[in-house]
């Protein structure tokens, strides 16, 4: 069953996985404030719900999201942009502590591409197109696109995308590490769900620690990243799931993780 918000659809929890579908087809899923606020609210409550172990976000077969809502953005002057509530919604999305997996078909542009970069794993249909066309509007990416893109695809491709506004294909995005797998469009959501369901069976404290430590690699030195890894690794030695995982291996049986 799908729970209808104004701009997104939210599934029931299936095997530990919640699926969010961006649902403004008439506006190519443009990420207006309402949509980002609903998405951030759903992720905030998913973070608190132990039954939810991973979240999948997707669009439709033609478009993931065509970016910030240009019509909404047009009304903002500099003070409006400064005080834009979307900044806070993006921050809440970035802080979601559980795995977020994107299944992307069609256009992922501007804020849509930036939403892709907020996901931990990205599966793309072979019809996907990624780009940061903000330059054509006299602006630059404003939801982390300059920083996350450069850290993801390297300097030359980040510059190419941001300065020229050109799009890249799913295959190019995979070659540059923006996407981990490319499928036929009909399979991308199923594959994302498959991965999410698999992750949902893993020990949740270890999953959360892994996400936190991996994301730190974006923004810290090797030395402090390794130190954080060591601390997280040590902390996990105190969990029941670690004992269970090791015992199950020794006893040649499947582990039964409890999240403790
Ligand atoms: N905001 C608002 N509406 C949008 C939109 C957007 N970002 N993208 C598409 N739409 C709307 C169009 O206005 C159109 O609506 P109407 O029929 O009511 O006119 C509808 O969606 C379909 O769009 P097109 O007719 O343009 O469809 P197309 O197939 O010819 O082209 C497209 C598709 C290439 C995605 C084109 O719509 C496009 O270039 N969209 C804008 C992409 C863009 O510039 N994104 C960056 C936005 S700025 C940003 O994201 C800032 C940030 O970093 C946060």
């Amino acid at each position: 069953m799908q729970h209808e918000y104004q701009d997104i659809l939210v599934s029931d929890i299936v095997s530990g996985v919640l699926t969010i579908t961006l649902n403004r087809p008439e506006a190519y899923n443009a990420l207006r404030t309402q949509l980002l606020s609903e998405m951030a609210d759903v992720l905030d409550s998913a973070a608190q719900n132990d039954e939810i172990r991973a979240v999948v976000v997707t669009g439709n077969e033609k478009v993931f999201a065509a970016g910030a809502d240009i019509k909404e953005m047009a009304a903002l002057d500099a003070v409006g942009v400064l005080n834009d509530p979307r900044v806070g919604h993006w921050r809440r999305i970035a802080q979601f502590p559980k795995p977020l997996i994107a299944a992307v078909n069609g256009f992922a542009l501007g804020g849509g591409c930036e939403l892709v970069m907020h996901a931990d794993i990205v599966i793309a249909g072979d019809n996907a197109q990624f780009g940061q066309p903000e330059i054509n509007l006299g602006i630059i990416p404003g939801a982390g696109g300059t920083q996350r893109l450069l850290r993801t695809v390297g300097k030359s491709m980040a510059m190419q995308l941001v300065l020229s506004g050109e799009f890249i294909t799913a295959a190019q995005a995979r070659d540059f590490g923006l996407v981990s797998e490319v499928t036929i469009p009909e399979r991308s959501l199923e594959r994302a769900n498959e991965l999410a369901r698999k992750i949902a069976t893993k020990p949740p404290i270890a999953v959360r620690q892994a996400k936190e430590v991996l994301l730190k690699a974006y923004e810290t030195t090797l030395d402090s990243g390794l130190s954080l890894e060591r601390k997280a690794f040590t902390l996990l030695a105190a969990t029941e799931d670690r004992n269970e995982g090791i015992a199950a291996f020794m006893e040649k049986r499947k582990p039964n993780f409890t999240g403790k």
Side-chain angles (χ1 to χ4, degrees), residues 7-8 22 24 27-37 39 64-70 72 86 90 93 109-116 143:
D7 287 0
I8 58 176
L22 310 178
R24 291 188 73 207
Y28 274 33
N29 289 338
L31 304 170
R32 65 175 171 185
T33 307
Q34 178 71 25
L35 187 152
L36 287 175
S37 144
M39 181 152 171
F64 179 71
D69 190 313
I70 298 171
E72 188 183 52
R86 278 178 293 194
W90 278 113
I93 294 168
L109 305 176
C113 190
E114 290 167 306
L115 181 55
V116 164

Side-chain angles (χ1 to χ4, degrees), residues 165-188:
E166 272 185 15
F167 305 162
I168 55 172
T169 62
Q172 285 173 297
R174 182 193 50 212
D175 291 347
F176 278 89
L178 184 59
V179 155
S180 62
E181 279 182 29
V182 178
T183 65
I184 55 168
E186 299 74 29
R187 166 113 176 100
S188 60

Side-chain angles (χ1 to χ4, degrees), residues 243-253:
N243 294 341
E244 168 62 10
I246 293 176
F249 174 79
M250 303 287 196
E251 293 159 21
K252 299 189 187 301
R253 61 172 172 83

Side-chain angles (χ1 to χ4, degrees), residues 18-157:
L18 194 75
T19 301
I20 299 174
T21 306
L22 310 178
N23 189 32
R24 291 188 73 207
E26 71 290 354
Y28 274 33
N29 289 338
L31 304 170
R32 65 175 171 185
T33 307
Q34 178 71 25
L35 187 152
L36 287 175
S37 144
E38 288 178 7
M39 181 152 171
D41 286 350
V42 169
L43 291 179
D44 277 350
S45 67
Q48 302 303 321
N49 184 342
D50 288 345
E51 276 181 58
I52 299 172
R53 302 286 186 85
V55 172
V56 171
V57 58
T58 194
N60 57 50
E61 57 290 339
K62 216 166 114 187
V63 59
F64 179 71
D69 190 313
I70 298 171
K71 293 164 192 166
E72 188 183 52
M73 209 168 57
L76 297 179
D77 60 9
V79 174
V81 172
L82 182 71
N83 296 323
D84 194 340
R86 278 178 293 194
V87 176
H89 302 325
W90 278 113
R91 191 172 305 117
R92 289 196 289 147
I93 294 168
Q95 286 170 348
F96 180 56
K98 299 178 184 181
L100 180 63
I101 303 179
V104 181
N105 288 335
F107 294 113
L109 305 176
C113 190
E114 290 167 306
L115 181 55
V116 164
M117 287 183 267
H118 280 70
D120 303 307
I121 301 174
V122 183
I123 306 299
D126 59 20
N127 66 345
Q129 295 192 64
F130 300 84
Q132 297 288 164
E134 288 90 341
I135 200 77
N136 299 325
L137 303 169
I139 55 172
I140 62 170
T146 60
Q147 302 306 298
R148 289 194 180 89
L149 193 61
L150 189 136
R151 284 164 168 80
T152 306
V153 303
K155 178 182 159 194
S156 186
M157 182 51 89

